[in-house]
Each structure stands twice: as C-alpha cells, then as structure tokens.
Amino acid sequence: MSQTKFLLDESKMPTHWYNIAADLPVALPAVLHPGTMQPVGPDDLAPLFPMELILQEVSTEREIPIPEPVREVFKLWRPAPLFRAHRLEKALGTPAKIYYKYEGVSPAGSHKPNTAIPQAWYNAQAGIKKLTTETGAGQWGSSLSFAGSLFDISVQVFQVRVSYDQKPYRRALMETYGATCVASPSNLTNSGRAILAKDPHHPGSLGIAISEAVEIAATHDDTKYALGSVLNHVLLHQTIVGQEAMLQMEMAGDDPDVIVGCTGGGSNFAGIAFPFLGQQLRGGKKRRIVAVEPAACPSLTRGKYAYDFGDTAHLTPLTKMHTLGSTFTPPGFHAGGLRYHGMAPLVSHLKELDLIEATAYHQNTCFEAGVLFARAEGIVPAPEANHAVRGAINEALRCKAEGKSEVILFNLCGHGHFDMTAYQAYFAGKLTDQQYDEAELAMALSGLPSVPA
Amino acid sequence: MSQTKFLLDESKMPTHWYNIAADLPVALPAVLHPGTMQPVGPDDLAPLFPMELILQEVSTEREIPIPEPVREVFKLWRPAPLFRAHRLEKALGTPAKIYYKYEGVSPAGSHKPNTAIPQAWYNAQAGIKKLTTETGAGQWGSSLSFAGSLFDISVQVFQVRVSYDQKPYRRALMETYGATCVASPSNLTNSGRAILAKDPHHPGSLGIAISEAVEIAATHDDTKYALGSVLNHVLLHQTIVGQEAMLQMEMAGDDPDVIVGCTGGGSNFAGIAFPFLGQQLRGGKKRRIVAVEPAACPSLTRGKYAYDFGDTAHLTPLTKMHTLGSTFTPPGFHAGGLRYHGMAPLVSHLKELDLIEATAYHQNTCFEAGVLFARAEGIVPAPEANHAVRGAINEALRCKAEGKSEVILFNLCGHGHFDMTAYQAYFAGKLTDQQYDEAELAMALSGLPSVPA
C-alpha cells in the first residue's frame, strides 16, 4: 500500500492567507446599512470588530500576511495532515482516489481555531478584554474559548439551546479553557428576552444567538464580537486549509478533480476550496467544487439569493446571500454547526456565478456515511463533517458506476468526540430526517427586507 | 520561538518492537500455574491467546518485527507527534525544557491501539472470530473495538460499572466501531453473578471485568481474550512510542534527563520508558524514570511485591508484581484506566531493581495540572494522563527551584474528550480525593496466595 499521511514541516506552513476577492470575475455586492440602505463603511462596523479585521473584510489584496504570533500558536497543530483514504476506497470498491484534509487535530477538534486565534490576537492587539460570540454545536465556542485563554481575553459564549442540551461536554470544554457559556435565547439580552417572552421553551438558533452576542458587544465599550463563519475575513483565515492541501496533494502526486466540503455558514468549505478555485480563476485547472448542506436547512439549494440580516433580531448590516429568512428556525438536527439561515456572501456569490455546485442530504444518510468512514479510517467525524463524507462517498460511487478513477478531495473539518449522543441516537434508530415546515420557510422568505435596486 | 512539533515520516516508523527482556540484568520471575505452582508453559495459555502472542510473552529476543499489515494500519496516525511545551514552560517560569509525546492522535484517542491492532491481527491470523476484553475508562475497549472492525473480529467489552455510568460516550464509540459493551459485574458470567449476588450495586473493578472476559474466552472455542496492559507482549507493543520519541528527541537536539509516565497496568509508561532504559542497560546514559500512579490505587508505592492473581475470580495464572491484592476494589475516581490492583510484572521487576522511581498523587492536584496544561498547550488530557502531567510539572518546578535546565519528557497518553464530566465535577468542586480503606487494603493483602519459595 502506498503512503497514507502527507505531513508538512512547520517551515512549510503558509505565511499568508489567500483572499479570493482579488480574483473574482465580478465584485461582491456591497454590504448595506439597514437604516440608510447605503453601503456600510469601516466606522459602522467599529463597535463590533477591531479595525484590522474590518480592513481584512473589505480588502482586495490577494495575499494577506499571517501575523507571526498567530503562526506560533498554529504550530500547536498545524500544518494539519492530509490522508489518502485507502481503506475507505477499498470498502467502496471504487477506482476513485479519495483524499481528506483532517482539521480535527486542532485542540478544539475542528477547523474553527484557524480563525479564532487570529481574531483573538487582533482583538488583543486593539486592547480588547472581552469577546462575545454565538455557537451551535460548540465547535466555534470552544475554539474561541481556547484562543481567549492564550491571549488573556475573557470569552462569553451564547450556545443555541438545543445544542446546549444535546452536547454538555462541549460546554465543559469551553469552561476548561476558562470561558463562560450561556444557553440562548437567554435572559441576559433584550433580543433573548423578546424571544423567551413568546416561547419560554424556544430551541434557539444561530440567528438568535448572534443577536444576543452582538447586542452585548454593541452596548459595552471594552467588549467586541467574534463570528465563527459567514464573514469575508473568517473565510479568509480558513484558506490556510486549502493552501496546505495544495502542497500536500503535490506531495501525493495527485491533483483533485472534485473538491467537497460541508456548508453551514461556509467557512470550512471556503477554506478547502478557495485556494484551488483561485488557481482556476487565474487560468488554472477547472475542477468541480461541491458544497454539501443539510436538507433540513438548505440555504444554498432552497434559499433565495437576496439581501438579508445575519441575525434574527436584525442588529447586523444587510448582506446579499442565499438565505432562508432571518426568522427561519431550522429543526433541531444534530449537525448544530450547520443550522444557520444564511450562507457566506462569498460562497453565495460564487454559486450565483456557477463556479461551485451545491447539494443537500438528510442526517441519517450522513451518519450512515460517517459510520462507514469510522470503521474504515478510524476517525469518527463530527455530524457536520458527515455531510462532506456523504458527498465524497457519493462522488466515489459515481466514479465506480462510470468506471472513472477521479481524484476526490474533501475537508474532514472536525471529529465527533463531543457528538456521541448523536451516534447513540442513530444506532438506536431514533434519528429522524426532520424537515422544516414549508409554510414557515415561505413566511420567513416573505419577510426579507426590501432593498432598492 | 523555536520548533514546536517534531514529526517523523511514515518511512521512519519503527519496524521492530523493543523487548527489554533481552537486556534485563536479572531475569523476570516465572509465571506460575495456581494449581501446581509450577511455571506455566505455552499450552497453559493457549485457551486465551494465539500462539504468536504467547511466544512474544516469553521471548528474550531484543527485536521483534512488527508485521507489515499492522504497520499499514499504524499509518492512520503513526508516527505520533512529539511536542516541545514552550507555552507550559513559560506559564511555569521554569528553566527546564518540557517535551511530550502525544498518543491522543490515534483514532481511539490514546496509546491503546498500539497493542489493540497487533493483538487483533495475530488473532485474525489464527482464525479467531471473537475477542473478549475488559475496560476501565473505555480507552482500551474502544481501541480493541476499532481493531476488531479492521480485521473482521467481533468484540465484546466488559466495562467496569462505575466507568460505564460515568462515561457513556466511550460506550457509543465502541458501538460506532461495531462492538458490544456490557457493564461489569454482569449476569453473563459465573464470576459476575457471584459478585452481584453479594452486592447488586457493586461498582466493579478491572480485576472483576478481567474475570468475566477470561471466563467467556476460556469456555468458547472460537473466542479468545485480549488484555490492554500488564502482560509482557502488551508492554512490548507499546515500545514503538519510546522508539519514535528517541528519534524525535534527536531531531529536537535534546536528550531527556527525566522521563515521566502515568501507571495503571504499566503499558504507556513502559512504552515511553523501556527503549530509553534499554539504552542505559546496554551502557548508555543514565536517566531518572518516574512512574506516577493514583494515590487511591497505589500498587507501586503501597502494594506488596508478591505473587498474585491478575483477576478477582482467580482464573488467571500467578505473576510476581506489586499488588494491592486481587480482591481490592479501588474507590471510583475518574482515572478509570488506573484502577487496577496490580502492576505489570516487568515494571514491578524494574522497580525492585531500583531502575525506576514511583510516586503517587490524588486526583484534584492532577486535574489542576491538566487544566493548566490545557490552557497553555490546548490539548485537554485524559484523567489518567493528568497524572503524568502533574509529575512532569512537579519536575519542572523542582528544576525552577534548583535553577536547573533539565530536559523532561513525558507521555501524554490520551486526550480527555470523553472525560469532560470529570472536568465538570472538578470545576464544580465536586471531585474528592477519595482514599481507599486501610482495613480493606490490609484484608486484600492478607489474602495473597502463598507460594513455595
């Protein structure tokens, strides 16, 4: 059997992030102020983010340097390994070659520290003492907690209620890193109290948790807000994943024909895909790039491409994206990190330009793929990552049917050690393929803000 | 800051295990048959183990080849990384250099697959279809479950009741790999039923779980038994850890003065220590080698060096080891993997020869060390590993007090992702430094079998 792992030396860790804004054939639509409907300027965002991150949000430079202290922290787990899935290929009987980039080696167990560390560092440089944030499954919350512990920033996490109850171990992890974690909707904010007044047992959503975290940051001078996905600078920070994968695919002597990632807000997908897509936009090889989302929260495949709020209480600016409506509450399925009503503006834009594909699966078929993967490759994927595993396996089965030996690369964005209750439910046959209510989706979409053309 | 991670290429993975029996200044005392009190022969062990493993158990060859299919599986995570703990050193303000070998990168999250994979492979080669085993915290049980899934062997795990209740996620992991897991004492065996008849709420112990697993294997032709620690061949399989660490310390340009490992049955400690100790026994550098055990189950520091049974129901042969007595039931502290009444005969023998040191800590100080480590280095250690972290930190603080810049190497044998309830209890102040009952210990020691001199 040939090589299984492709490891890069610390000396080969990328020194710059790749900014796809530099290579877009059509510029990204402007972000609008919901009051004036005019494009927002840096000052509008200053209550929430330090200026360095705001400048990254709007930058069109192709390469943005990764600060040295951030790279020093990355050395705790980066460069992350790339694996050839020999055993999975054999189990599937496919002529395809399957590779996966594994981001579960980070201390928090997912790709999220790739942006948590620089966000915490830029905030620390700006003298910020406290960060608020939202989290779904808890991968982002625990990552920012870890980052806060390294740069002496206190972190307050609003965790979506349904995940808070499903995944108590993630909360314990946040506390181990010294952070505090609150179930959202909470009584700590106006946004949370308004929701609880209508429904004291509301399961929460990322949109609501964002409102709560933003509200605290906007109303406290020493506090800023950090987001784990969606925004341009967050996707930018994840491009270290694809840049490393590119070097590792060279080591393996292969070049991917298909790249697969799961999408909630879009950051791990962007991380693996954008560096390869950038090559293509600059005249390089054309590859199929496939986003896999949950069928119960299908922003890319069922959402409308329109201006919408990023949160439920409408405290954020308006961005053009694929959205299910900011008041849409997805069913409480187990891939909590994918339960977001919108999609990253950059990912949405690329979908509109037909530069990427999108597909959606329900959770049982994703867990089936995850168990097959675990028994072949050993690693138990997170429920979110199971969507990418399902997507990659389906591509490999297509290759088998067509007799093609394509090269498939997917991002295994995190492990499932904190999600074993979901696996228990799957084995017990208690996992249902929950579907959203069509009437609720129509209602949420009808409430989209009207924006002058 | 200098390099953080020291990675070895797959091509540098050791091709042989190191067998310390070849270099012992005094041979290990014989294993005795409890009926005849005569040394056991290979045939006595044949109902429980395949012949290849029995031959390894008694071998005095210095190098034993690692089968190629086993090395292929190891490539899923091996060679495992060695880290320099720059941030921990800084947090402690110590002039010592701290290195740790990290075995938590394995699919099951600990060093245990290093022996689970070869044990399953040798059994598969011998045509065995089912393996039984015991597990404490579940790290061994999930590792053997993983190994079984790769070689088409069905695995039945008897998990110590107190851990079964404390750590439900480990059970889910075993099930993900396709194994079955039963709380021990159980109603499935005579050994289990005898215990339950006396106390239906018995918390279990590794000694009892071993009895149950051995009983099933001994009474079924197609079934054999696998042990996760204690035995010579298990310690042998773990020496890949220390052999890799030796190459990685060379890469780092340092040579350890002190080597620290936690000890339950002794296998991860042996894994990191024996290759270095072997160098010394062949005339190389003398190093301090420190075993750290739980003060609530202190076989090396409080046990008697005597012949004893490996299990509670007295189904195993007699081995000479440090023992608290085979009927001793340790308190239900959280480092379930260290709750064993005995110590590996090889480790015990080296202790008697004054070639290693031993020390014991209660669990709160170990969790304190683990949290300090997590906030500095990111990785959350398993409760068992926290004992090694405590030991290494105390050596580093001694170096600080003495103004010495010694090189400390410890084995971080596993992560704590499945042990977060223990961390929750620690943060809530609910973790007590449980102590065993002195009268119970005296009683257990008084029951040691009498062996003719």
Side-chain angles (χ1 to χ4, degrees):
Chain A
M1 207 180 275
S2 51
Q3 203 171 339
T4 297
K5 271 187 313 302
F6 300 89
L7 302 174
L8 289 173
D9 236 44
E10 283 180 12
S11 61
K12 298 277 179 61
M13 193 197 294
T15 55
H16 292 70
W17 291 298
Y18 165 66
N19 183 9
I20 201 168
D23 292 317
L24 288 175
V26 181
L28 200 61
V31 176
L32 303 182
H33 190 290
T36 64
M37 293 295 171
Q38 295 300 308
V40 298
D43 289 350
D44 293 313
L45 299 172
L48 297 184
F49 305 108
M51 196 48 67
E52 284 292 321
L53 291 175
I54 295 172
L55 294 176
Q56 289 181 1
E57 188 66 18
V58 297
S59 170
T60 53
E61 291 293 315
R62 182 170 293 128
E63 294 200 320
I64 296 180
I66 307 176
E68 200 47 41
V70 169
R71 295 181 74 244
E72 279 301 330
V73 176
F74 281 171
K75 289 181 185 174
L76 290 173
W77 75 96
R78 302 211 72 85
L82 178 90
F83 289 89
R84 169 87 183 270
H86 289 294
R87 287 189 161 68
L88 179 63
E89 291 169 15
K90 200 173 157 200
L92 297 171
T94 179
K97 294 181 182 178
I98 307 175
Y99 290 88
Y100 57 99
K101 178 75 171 166
Y102 184 40
E103 290 290 319
V105 292
S106 83
S110 78
H111 63 295
K112 295 291 188 186
N114 296 336
T115 183
I117 301 297
Q119 288 195 53
W121 186 79
Y122 286 116
N123 274 286
Q125 292 301 104
I128 298 307
K129 296 290 173 211
K130 181 179 170 185
L131 282 171
T132 61
T133 197
E134 76 294 331
T135 200
Q139 293 195 337
W140 166 243
S142 51
S143 299
L144 193 69
S145 302
F146 161 53
S149 81
L150 295 177
F151 298 117
D152 210 19
I153 290 180
S154 83
V155 174
Q156 183 179 34
V157 183
F158 290 88
Q159 185 171 23
V160 176
R161 164 63 74 181
V162 59
S163 292
Y164 184 93
D165 292 338
Q166 276 171 354
K167 300 171 202 285
Y169 283 17
R170 274 278 171 199
R171 194 162 75 242
L173 183 58
M174 297 181 224
E175 288 165 4
T176 300
Y177 292 133
T180 57
C181 176
V182 182
S184 167
S186 80
N187 273 313
L188 301 180
T189 65
N190 291 331
S191 317
R193 283 186 291 267
I195 302 277
L196 289 174
K198 282 187 232 160
D199 178 3
H201 303 293
H202 196 290
S205 72
L206 281 170
I208 295 168
I210 292 172
S211 294
E212 295 206 86
V214 164
E215 184 181 321
I216 300 259
T219 54
H220 293 78
D221 276 349
D222 63 341
T223 301
K224 297 226 181 277
Y225 165 71
L227 186 63
S229 190
V230 180
L231 298 178
N232 301 344
H233 70 269
V234 180
L235 275 55
L236 173 77
H237 297 160
Q238 293 294 350
T239 57
I240 193 170
V241 176
Q243 290 185 84
E244 286 181 6
M246 214 172 252
L247 296 174
Q248 291 164 310
M249 290 300 308
E250 272 173 36
M251 288 172 71
D254 272 321
D255 193 348
D257 300 299
V258 189
I259 297 173
V260 180
C262 65
T263 45
S267 77
N268 98 74
F269 169 79
I272 189 90
F274 283 9
F276 288 97
L277 189 53
Q279 263 190 347
Q280 173 183 327
L281 294 172
R282 297 191 301 278
K285 171 175 172 177
K286 168 126 182 66
R287 303 175 178 93
R288 287 182 53 228
I289 299 183
V290 182
V292 184
E293 62 182 11
C297 189
S299 56
L300 272 177
T301 53
R302 290 292 315 277
K304 197 170 160 186
Y305 186 57
Y307 273 100
D308 197 6
F309 291 96
D311 73 319
T312 305
H314 298 178
L315 303 179
T316 70
L318 296 170
T319 50
K320 197 159 185 186
M321 59 181 179
H322 289 87
T323 177
L324 301 164
S326 64
T327 59
F328 176 79
T329 301
F333 58 89
H334 279 275
L338 308 183
R339 292 181 67 249
Y340 185 58
H341 70 275
M343 179 50 59
L346 270 171
V347 174
S348 296
H349 185 62
L350 292 165
K351 176 70 169 54
E352 285 302 297
L353 295 174
D354 276 333
L355 289 166
I356 63 169
E357 306 171 26
T359 182
Y361 297 109
H362 277 298
Q363 66 180 347
N364 271 295
T365 188
C366 294
F367 273 91
E368 183 192 34
V371 170
L372 178 63
F373 183 85
R375 292 183 185 175
E377 297 288 316
I379 299 167
V380 179
E384 293 81 2
N386 280 343
H387 289 73
V389 175
R390 175 82 276 166
I393 287 178
N394 283 14
E395 292 292 334
L397 293 175
R398 174 189 58 72
C399 287
K400 183 180 181 179
E402 297 175 357
K404 287 184 181 164
S405 57
E406 293 179 18
V407 176
I408 300 165
L409 167 65
F410 74 98
N411 197 16
L412 189 66
C413 62
H415 64 62
H417 298 171
F418 297 93
D419 305 285
M420 297 311 296
T421 46
Y423 279 88
Q424 282 178 311
Y426 171 72
F427 288 121
K430 288 182 184 160
L431 219 57
T432 56
D433 284 339
Q434 300 145 295
Q435 188 51 297
Y436 54 85
D437 186 75
E438 288 284 354
E440 194 202 331
L441 174 59
M443 172 87 85
L445 286 174
S446 73
L448 289 178
S450 66
V451 174
Chain B
M1 207 181 271
S2 52
Q3 202 171 338
T4 297
K5 272 188 311 305
F6 300 89
L7 302 174
L8 289 174
D9 236 43
E10 283 179 14
S11 61
K12 299 276 178 62
M13 193 196 296
T15 55
H16 292 70
W17 291 298
Y18 166 66
N19 183 10
I20 200 168
D23 293 317
L24 288 176
V26 182
L28 200 61
V31 176
L32 303 182
H33 190 289
T36 63
M37 293 294 172
Q38 294 302 308
V40 298
D43 289 350
D44 294 311
L45 298 171
L48 296 184
F49 305 108
M51 196 47 68
E52 284 293 320
L53 291 176
I54 294 171
L55 295 177
Q56 289 181 3
E57 188 66 17
V58 297
S59 170
T60 53
E61 291 294 313
R62 182 172 291 128
E63 295 201 318
I64 295 180
I66 307 175
E68 201 48 40
V70 169
R71 295 180 76 243
E72 280 301 330
V73 175
F74 281 172
K75 289 181 184 174
L76 291 172
W77 75 97
R78 300 212 75 85
L82 178 90
F83 289 89
R84 169 85 183 270
H86 290 294
R87 286 187 162 69
L88 179 63
E89 291 169 16
K90 202 174 155 199
L92 297 172
T94 179
K97 295 182 183 178
I98 307 175
Y99 290 87
Y100 57 98
K101 178 75 171 167
Y102 184 40
E103 290 290 318
V105 292
S106 83
S110 78
H111 63 294
K112 294 291 188 185
N114 297 337
T115 183
I117 302 296
Q119 288 195 52
W121 186 80
Y122 285 116
N123 273 286
Q125 291 302 104
I128 298 306
K129 296 291 175 211
K130 180 177 170 185
L131 282 171
T132 61
T133 197
E134 76 294 331
T135 199
Q139 293 195 336
W140 166 243
S142 50
S143 299
L144 193 69
S145 302
F146 161 54
S149 81
L150 295 177
F151 298 116
D152 211 19
I153 290 180
S154 83
V155 174
Q156 182 179 35
V157 183
F158 290 88
Q159 185 171 23
V160 175
R161 163 64 74 184
V162 59
S163 293
Y164 184 92
D165 292 338
Q166 277 171 353
K167 300 172 201 284
Y169 283 16
R170 274 279 170 196
R171 194 162 76 242
L173 183 58
M174 296 180 223
E175 288 165 3
T176 299
Y177 292 133
T180 57
C181 177
V182 182
S184 166
S186 80
N187 273 314
L188 301 180
T189 64
N190 291 332
S191 317
R193 283 186 290 267
I195 302 277
L196 289 174
K198 280 187 233 159
D199 177 2
H201 304 292
H202 197 288
S205 72
L206 281 169
I208 295 168
I210 292 172
S211 294
E212 295 207 86
V214 164
E215 183 182 323
I216 299 259
T219 53
H220 293 79
D221 276 348
D222 63 342
T223 302
K224 298 229 181 274
Y225 165 71
L227 186 62
S229 191
V230 180
L231 298 178
N232 301 344
H233 69 270
V234 179
L235 275 55
L236 173 77
H237 297 160
Q238 293 294 351
T239 57
I240 193 170
V241 175
Q243 289 186 83
E244 286 181 4
M246 214 172 252
L247 296 174
Q248 290 164 311
M249 290 301 308
E250 272 174 37
M251 287 173 71
D254 272 322
D255 193 346
D257 301 299
V258 189
I259 297 173
V260 180
C262 64
T263 45
S267 77
N268 99 75
F269 169 79
I272 190 90
F274 283 8
F276 288 97
L277 189 53
Q279 262 188 349
Q280 173 183 328
L281 293 173
R282 297 190 301 279
K285 173 174 172 176
K286 166 128 183 66
R287 304 175 178 92
R288 287 183 52 229
I289 299 184
V290 183
V292 184
E293 62 182 9
C297 189
S299 56
L300 272 177
T301 54
R302 291 291 314 276
K304 195 169 163 189
Y305 186 58
Y307 272 100
D308 197 6
F309 291 97
D311 72 319
T312 305
H314 297 178
L315 304 178
T316 70
L318 295 172
T319 51
K320 196 156 186 190
M321 60 181 177
H322 289 88
T323 178
L324 301 164
S326 64
T327 60
F328 176 79
T329 301
F333 58 90
H334 279 274
L338 308 183
R339 292 180 68 249
Y340 185 59
H341 69 274
M343 179 50 59
L346 270 172
V347 174
S348 297
H349 185 62
L350 293 166
K351 176 72 170 53
E352 285 303 297
L353 296 174
D354 275 334
L355 290 165
I356 63 170
E357 305 172 27
T359 181
Y361 297 110
H362 276 298
Q363 64 180 348
N364 271 294
T365 188
C366 295
F367 273 90
E368 184 192 33
V371 170
L372 178 63
F373 183 86
R375 291 182 185 176
E377 297 288 316
I379 299 167
V380 179
E384 292 82 2
N386 280 342
H387 290 73
V389 175
R390 175 81 277 166
I393 287 178
N394 282 14
E395 291 293 333
L397 292 175
R398 175 189 57 73
C399 288
K400 184 181 182 178
E402 297 175 359
K404 288 185 181 164
S405 57
E406 293 179 17
V407 177
I408 300 165
L409 167 65
F410 75 97
N411 197 16
L412 189 66
C413 61
H415 64 62
H417 298 170
F418 297 93
D419 306 285
M420 297 311 296
T421 47
Y423 280 88
Q424 282 178 311
Y426 171 70
F427 289 123
K430 288 182 185 161
L431 219 58
T432 56
D433 284 340
Q434 300 145 295
Q435 188 52 297
Y436 54 83
D437 186 77
E438 288 284 354
E440 195 201 331
L441 174 59
M443 172 87 82
L445 286 174
S446 73
L448 289 177
S450 65
V451 174

